[in-house]
Amino acid sequence: MATTEAKPGAQPTDDSHELAGFGYKQELDRSLGSFSSFAAGFSYISILTGVTALFATGYLNAGPGVWWTWPVVVGGQILVALCFMEMAAQYPIAGSVYQWSKQISTGYTSWMTGWIYIVGAITTIAAVAVDWQVVLPQITSSFQIAGSSADAGLTFTKGGAQNALLLGTILIVLTTTINMLGVKLMARINNVGVMAELIGSTVLVILLLFNAHHGPQIIFHSYGFGHGHPWGYFGALLVGGLLSAYVMYGFDTAGTLAEETNNPRKHAPPAIIRAIGAAAIIGGLVILFASMANKHILDKNVGLLGLPYVMKQAFGNTTGNIFLADCALAIFVCCLAVQTATIRMLFSMARDNRLPFGSAVARVSGHRKVPIVPALITGILAVALLAINVGNQSAFLVITGIAIIMFYIAYLGVTAPMLIRRLRGEWPKPDRGPYFSLGRWGLPVNIAAVIYGVLVAINIAWPRNAVYNAVGKPHWYFQWSPVLFIGAVVIIGTLYYFLVQVKKSNEVLEEHRADIPELPHMPAMGEMAP
């Protein structure tokens, strides 16, 4: 590992020399600063996107008390983020969790981590794109192109699902195009979107508070929302917690963009925790104050139309529409950030010769220095996933739930091997340098992060009809969709790895290898065992 700290004013050439120490040449456009690094993580989390999309689901199942799932998820993800901060400081390489897993685990574990991340991220793009249907038709029925005005804001009706496909496809086409035009344009748009979300969500919190009809004590009452759940109100919270779990992931994006960030060892670790911190405060207040601003606690429309309904009831149509427009912008930059991170993951694995057609996938095109093929792949596959919801409107929550589980499993691909290394006394290494480290808190934090990740993955994957058959006639394959889908992903990935990948060279593709000799003080490549 490196023992020389990058200077605060490090130039891209210095960062490129560090990257060469890992065996890679500088190909991506290294032009992002500290705010852009933070903004990428924050927009991936995107409070207004997640809360707008799933406030209805959370409230429908657990009522105002769904707020209690927020500090639990935030606390757990902070533990994971602290582990990631150590990795981001030591390995500032595009590909985040795949690259980090590669340094501390076996070839199979790291490959599977990257494979699951890619599938989960493409699923997330589709899940986020659906959210425009939740927002835009509630601003004006002109956005309800398919179906009728009765479908506005809904994803579980036939017309609503068809319109979600249409709006979602438009959104993905836009984000794919922007990602193909370069990281500078992406960052500028993303930064503007994040500023708009930060300002808008802050004002939203204030206005919700001033329009409160209830005090914060409402979160201490179940109001009968636990009725019908096998475990009573605790069972209701386990289902309603889908809201919090959906919002709070993707903070590793600051690490994913490390090869496009100036002085990433300095900027990436704090960007990770700042993204979570900002999202934690704003999100917790939005969920709490939205529940307080809901005039009638048992109003069934809240469980159908969610946060947009609460805002319009509290502020009126005009002001409510302004905030919905801000939410639409947040959804746009969230989808943009998710796709950006996914593209970098594909690029990172492909140049390591760990994906089919690696040379084509990892090719960086033109003066904009963008991997074009991954952008097209992610866009096409995300639109294909959107189409599933048209056939069965329960698929929206299925897609959302699967996206969450896949990321939690991918994150365990880093935290679990890291824990094994700690228990063996092999992490952190003595020559880690003056970069971020958890010190003596590393072991307890790491243990807690792994336990948290396992428990949440099991909870979301549990075959509940309340989540996976929430609309229409129940189907066994939807109820068991997390197990079936993830099982299929793991089986396909395992077959590919042992039938194809182990026969391939583990060396970086020649065209992506560093042009300069590896410096003696630079970190050596991580384990690349098949």
Side-chain angles (χ1 to χ4, degrees), residues 10-180:
Q11 298 299 312
T13 52
D14 299 326
D15 297 326
S16 299
H17 276 72
E18 284 205 336
L19 182 61
F22 294 101
Y24 304 109
K25 67 179 179 180
Q26 184 70 51
E27 296 179 90
L28 302 178
D29 185 7
R30 194 179 291 276
S31 59
L32 304 183
S34 58
F35 181 80
S36 294
S37 183
F38 154 79
F42 182 83
S43 59
Y44 200 128
I45 297 172
S46 189
I47 292 302
L48 291 183
T49 298
V51 176
T52 300
L54 287 185
F55 185 81
T57 299
Y59 199 96
L60 176 67
N61 285 281
V66 73
W67 182 87
W68 290 107
T69 65
W70 186 254
V72 172
V73 171
V74 168
Q77 293 294 60
I78 286 176
L79 297 171
V80 176
L82 289 171
C83 295
F84 284 3
M85 289 169 68
E86 283 192 330
M87 298 304 298
Q90 296 299 319
Y91 303 107
I93 313 172
S96 63
V97 297
Y98 155 69
Q99 284 287 350
W100 300 339
S101 182
K102 187 179 75 173
Q103 308 298 329
I104 57 176
S105 68
T106 65
Y108 173 74
T109 299
S110 62
W111 191 90
M112 186 60 68
T113 297
W115 165 240
I116 289 175
Y117 186 105
I118 288 171
V119 177
I122 293 174
T123 307
T124 300
I125 295 170
V128 172
V130 169
D131 297 341
W132 255 10
Q133 169 62 18
V134 178
V135 174
L136 291 179
Q138 295 202 63
I139 297 176
T140 170
S141 58
S142 298
F143 285 109
Q144 190 64 45
I145 302 167
S148 65
S149 58
D151 300 307
L154 303 177
T155 60
F156 54 81
T157 62
K158 184 177 181 180
Q162 291 172 344
N163 206 60
L165 171 60
L166 179 59
L167 294 178
T169 300
I170 293 172
L171 174 54
I172 292 172
V173 168
L174 289 173
T175 57
T176 301
T177 302
I178 293 169
N179 269 305
M180 292 171 65

Side-chain angles (χ1 to χ4, degrees), residues 339-359:
Q339 190 174 19
T340 300
T342 314
I343 291 168
R344 272 61 185 174
M345 180 65 74
L346 282 163
F347 164 77
S348 185
M349 292 188 70
R351 72 177 174 183
D352 277 357
N353 199 23
R354 292 195 164 195
L355 289 178
F357 311 107
S359 293

Side-chain angles (χ1 to χ4, degrees), residues 386-475:
L386 279 177
I388 295 175
N389 199 53
V390 175
N392 190 313
Q393 288 76 57
S394 287
F396 170 61
L397 285 179
V398 171
I399 292 171
T400 302
I402 288 174
I404 298 169
I405 301 163
M406 299 292 277
F407 266 81
Y408 272 81
I409 295 174
Y411 286 178
L412 284 168
V414 177
T415 56
M418 177 185 279
L419 177 58
I420 293 173
R421 287 295 186 98
R422 286 190 196 277
L423 294 173
R424 292 175 178 172
E426 299 172 356
W427 183 270
K429 292 184 177 180
D431 61 344
R432 64 183 180 273
Y435 304 113
F436 177 83
S437 173
L438 289 171
R440 62 182 180 180
W441 290 100
L443 183 59
V445 167
N446 204 160
I447 291 173
V450 171
I451 293 173
Y452 164 78
V454 170
L455 291 177
V456 173
I458 291 173
N459 175 48
I460 304 299
W462 202 263
R464 298 183 181 92
N465 280 324
V467 174
Y468 299 109
N469 271 312
V471 180
K473 181 182 178 181
H475 297 284

